[in-house]
Amino acid sequence: MTTWKDAPNRTIDVNGTTFTYRELGEPSEVPVVFLHHLTAVLDDWDPRVIDGIAAHHRVIAFDNRGVGATGGSVPSTIEQMGTDAIAFIRALGLQKVDLLGFSLGGGVAQMVVLQAPELVRRLIVAGSGPRGGGGIDKMGSIVAVAYLKAMLTLSDPRNFLFFPRNPEGKQAATDYLRRLKERTDNRDKRISIQAAIAQIKAIRHAGRSQPDDLSVVTHPVLVANGDNDLMVASSHSADMARRLPNAQLEIYPNSGHGGIFQHHRNFVPDALQFLAE
């Protein structure tokens, strides 16, 4: 089976914009579409998560508008990011999908299901919270401090943003970042500074917006996070799960924003069981 490190880069025209994506996995009637985090491109997906889900499902991951090798400019709101994701999914000719959204991608996934509920079967939201959650609009300063620490230590900012700074967390960060380098050929284009700034503005706008009525989302939802998320407080994940009529909550111990990567050996089976129900 093709694995994430070997999956070819593909493109498709979506309303005049060229979107870049990768596809792999077992044929399934309802594919799983992955939506990624702030500043991330295709190469920032953990291969253990992608390959684990792809062992049982058709998986599609893409760069949304203005990100990586996809053309256009990053929208100023997560609502428009959701609209763009819907357009991409429909351009592929898909009638029904499962969504797996991580961090910013979790917010975009919520916009997809709110705007086009008929398009979604099941939804996994990881390391994310509801729009209007307290503290989410402070994301810019949190990211800035992490990037400063990364510059001073010549390291990746995700060491400070995704994982706890204890021995277990530091080892998880090392392992995760090593896995991201497994793909050596045909890697994606890195996100531009302008695109990253636009994403942060969109996140801050979402944090200051009125909360969405999540009671209308009757789809099955798996909400996952670490127990000490620095970027999106773990309490926001619990709050979102309470407000969704058909949600289950998985909180992974001694982990942070990247809890699903640190605990991929638990998260992948949890996700597969949820998708199979």
Side-chain angles (χ1 to χ4, degrees):
M1 185 184 76
T2 299
T3 60
W4 185 239
K5 69 178 182 179
D6 302 316
N9 296 322
R10 303 183 179 185
T11 60
I12 188 172
D13 181 88
V14 181
N15 300 326
T17 299
T18 300
F19 275 59
T20 298
Y21 70 103
R22 294 176 192 158
E23 181 177 347
L24 72 161
E26 289 295 312
S28 55
E29 183 178 353
V30 180
V32 184
V33 176
F34 281 55
L35 302 158
H36 219 336
H37 69 78
L38 170 70
T39 74
V41 297
L42 292 173
D43 295 321
D44 293 301
W45 277 116
D46 189 333
R48 298 302 175 271
V49 172
I50 290 271
D51 290 341
I53 302 297
H56 299 271
H57 296 269
R58 178 186 176 194
V59 165
I60 299 167
F62 72 104
D63 289 333
N64 214 337
R65 185 154 60 92
V67 174
T70 291
S73 300
V74 170
S76 59
T77 65
I78 62 170
E79 295 99 314
Q80 185 58 52
M81 293 178 189
T83 301
D84 290 340
I86 292 168
F88 167 77
I89 291 167
R90 288 180 169 156
L92 290 177
L94 302 174
Q95 303 299 315
K96 187 77 70 174
V97 298
D98 293 327
L99 297 177
L100 193 161
F102 171 61
S103 192
L104 172 59
V108 176
Q110 293 174 64
M111 296 302 102
V112 172
V113 77
L114 287 168
Q115 294 179 44
E118 75 286 349
L119 192 60
V120 181
R121 186 184 71 111
R122 286 175 174 264
L123 178 66
I124 300 174
V125 179
S128 190
R131 184 159 60 167
I136 291 179
D137 60 333
K138 299 177 182 178
M139 185 74 69
S141 59
I142 294 172
V143 171
V145 170
Y147 270 78
L148 177 59
K149 291 179 179 178
M151 288 176 58
L152 294 174
T153 56
L154 300 178
S155 61
D156 191 295
R158 285 170 290 193
N159 281 290
F160 307 98
L161 292 170
F162 281 18
F163 304 94
R165 301 304 292 163
N166 57 33
E168 182 179 338
K170 290 178 180 179
Q171 185 60 55
T174 298
D175 294 342
Y176 165 73
L177 294 169
R178 183 184 298 118
R179 294 195 297 270
L180 296 189
K181 297 178 181 178
E182 290 177 355
R183 183 185 180 101
T184 56
D185 296 325
N186 299 314
R187 290 181 63 87
D188 198 1
K189 180 181 177 182
R190 302 308 304 174
I191 193 168
S192 68
I193 294 176
Q194 293 83 355
I197 292 172
Q199 286 182 332
I200 292 173
K201 289 181 178 179
I203 292 171
R204 292 177 64 188
H205 179 270
R208 294 169 176 168
S209 297
Q210 290 297 311
D212 296 304
D213 179 9
L214 297 181
S215 68
V216 303
V217 181
T218 57
H219 308 63
V221 184
L222 172 61
V223 180
N225 206 345
D227 63 352
N228 188 22
D229 189 338
L230 174 67
M231 298 187 73
V232 182
S234 305
S235 58
H236 291 319
S237 294
D239 173 56
M240 181 166 55
R242 284 192 298 267
R243 290 165 53 191
L244 290 161
N246 192 11
Q248 64 186 73
L249 179 66
E250 291 288 346
I251 299 295
Y252 298 103
N254 192 24
S255 59
H257 194 60
I260 66 168
F261 307 136
Q262 180 172 337
H263 292 280
H264 63 87
R265 292 181 180 86
N266 299 108
F267 170 69
V268 169
D270 289 343
L272 289 173
Q273 180 178 352
F274 170 75
L275 293 172
E277 292 173 351

